Amino acid sequence: MDPATRRVMPLNLSSLFAHSFLRYYVTRADSTHTRQTSQLIYRSFFRPLTKVRYDLIGQDWVLEQLFRVLSMHSQRLAVAPIVVLLCGPSGHGKSLLARKFGSLLDIPTHTVNMTTLRSTHDLWQSYSMSPYEEPSSDTLAQFLLNNEGERCVVVLDEIEKVEDPKALYSLLMPWELGRCSLEAGKRHVDLTKVIWLGTSNICHDLVFEHHDSRPDPSKPVTREEYRDLMDLSRPQVSQSLGASLLSRVTTVLPFIPFTMEEKMAIAAEAVYSLISNAAKMLSPEEVEAIVMKVLPSYVPSEGARSLHRAVSNELVDLI
């Protein structure tokens, strides 16, 4: 078994290969598609990102397209900075992927809560808001100066919810040229190696409409169907953020609804996570029973969060 697969398993559950959670990860790790996708960045600086598969359930096409973009930069087939917009419905892994990006690469991350911005000045003076990062008193401007010319990650969370779209104008130059002046009259700062990740609920409705329009929505999305969704997503993002900003975005990656197998894996993961915290053991049969019971509580617009909530409610009476 792949070492990363072993890491996600609680030690006292290592023999429960029949369980949907473990079965999902084992099958996924051994798939031809997984190996082919991982090869895209196998020999690059971004190779550690392949481990995100063992944290992020589903979204294999998102990862494939992401790895393609990173591969182009690794091979110097692209010169503009890396700007990736993760979009789609809540609870499908956008924030998780953005959060894991820096930690897996072992590079600094600064997360901006875009809902708090009122002006361009607010962007550069914003403090990192993620509870998963090391506490810091640095503003975004200070963070970029401290990491000038080095790999780092800037996460722009809920980018479409900025109060005044003009607050995004200051991103035009760094996204296109990889440099800008963080203060009026100051020297230009080298931002060529910054990885910009935006998260957004833009395309929420489009994702579900595209899913339902497929010949058989119960089947996994194909590569061609996902690329079609990507093409449809850019016009919606352009309408929301503006064509000038979108033209500088390397790729727009819509997150798609979970398959039934993925929903089962999410529910099982939630069960084991919660019973581990409560020091309670359940048999594989009990876990499977809980998983099957909570599946009808899945809310597509809420994604994994709806299953976590349903599992918590079921475990209240058991623990």
Side-chain angles (χ1 to χ4, degrees), residues 5 22-32 34-35 261:
T5 306
L22 301 181
R23 184 172 60 245
Y24 168 79
Y25 276 111
V26 170
T27 301
R28 192 185 194 201
D30 289 340
S31 73
T32 300
T34 295
R35 292 194 295 271
E261 181 185 27

Side-chain angles (χ1 to χ4, degrees), residues 46-66:
F46 300 105
R47 179 181 178 181
L49 285 177
T50 59
K51 298 175 185 176
V52 78
R53 294 185 182 281
Y54 304 105
D55 295 295
L56 181 69
I57 292 178
Q59 310 307 337
D60 286 348
W61 297 124
V62 170
L63 294 181
E64 178 184 278
Q65 294 302 320
L66 174 63

Side-chain angles (χ1 to χ4, degrees), residues 65-130:
Q65 294 302 320
L66 174 63
F67 292 175
R68 285 183 181 278
V69 167
L70 299 178
S71 175
M72 288 190 297
H73 280 266
S74 296
Q75 299 178 53
R76 298 184 180 181
L77 300 176
V79 294
I82 300 171
V83 184
V84 178
L85 180 63
L86 312 175
C87 67
S90 297
H92 285 73
K94 301 186 300 294
S95 295
L96 175 61
L97 177 56
R99 185 173 80 238
K100 290 288 183 180
F101 214 96
S103 61
L104 287 174
L105 294 176
D106 195 25
I107 57 178
T109 300
H110 190 99
T111 301
V112 179
N113 179 359
M114 300 296 283
T115 64
T116 65
L117 302 192
R118 302 293 179 269
S119 68
T120 297
H121 177 76
D122 288 346
L123 174 62
W124 303 123
Q125 296 306 309
S126 59
Y127 295 96
S128 190
M129 50 74 70
S130 175

Side-chain angles (χ1 to χ4, degrees), residues 136-251:
S136 172
S137 58
D138 288 344
T139 63
L140 177 57
Q142 292 167 329
F143 172 82
L144 293 173
L145 282 169
N146 293 342
N147 294 283
E148 183 175 8
E150 303 292 336
R151 281 291 181 203
C152 61
V153 177
V154 175
V155 178
L156 305 176
D157 197 42
E158 307 278 15
I159 190 172
E160 86 284 11
K161 293 183 175 64
V162 62
E163 183 175 287
D164 185 353
K166 292 180 181 178
L168 302 177
Y169 290 176
S170 59
L171 293 170
L172 297 178
M173 183 176 285
W175 283 11
E176 181 170 12
L177 303 177
R179 60 185 176 86
C180 76
S181 176
L182 303 177
E183 292 184 49
K186 299 291 185 179
R187 70 175 179 85
H188 280 191
V189 179
D190 179 5
L191 306 177
T192 52
K193 291 190 176 181
V194 178
I195 302 167
W196 302 86
L197 300 177
T199 68
S200 169
N201 291 131
I202 301 174
C203 301
H204 172 281
D205 293 334
L206 174 64
V207 164
F208 290 117
E209 291 168 2
H210 181 269
H211 177 76
D212 293 339
S213 68
R214 295 166 54 228
D216 188 351
S218 66
K219 291 185 178 179
V221 171
T222 65
R223 176 186 281 107
E224 291 71 24
E225 288 172 335
Y226 184 74
R227 289 182 175 174
D228 177 60
L229 178 59
M230 288 178 64
D231 292 339
L232 294 172
S233 298
R234 288 193 75 96
Q236 281 206 8
V237 176
S238 178
Q239 185 175 8
S240 179
L241 300 182
S244 59
L245 195 70
L246 179 64
S247 66
R248 294 160 168 85
V249 172
T250 311
T251 187

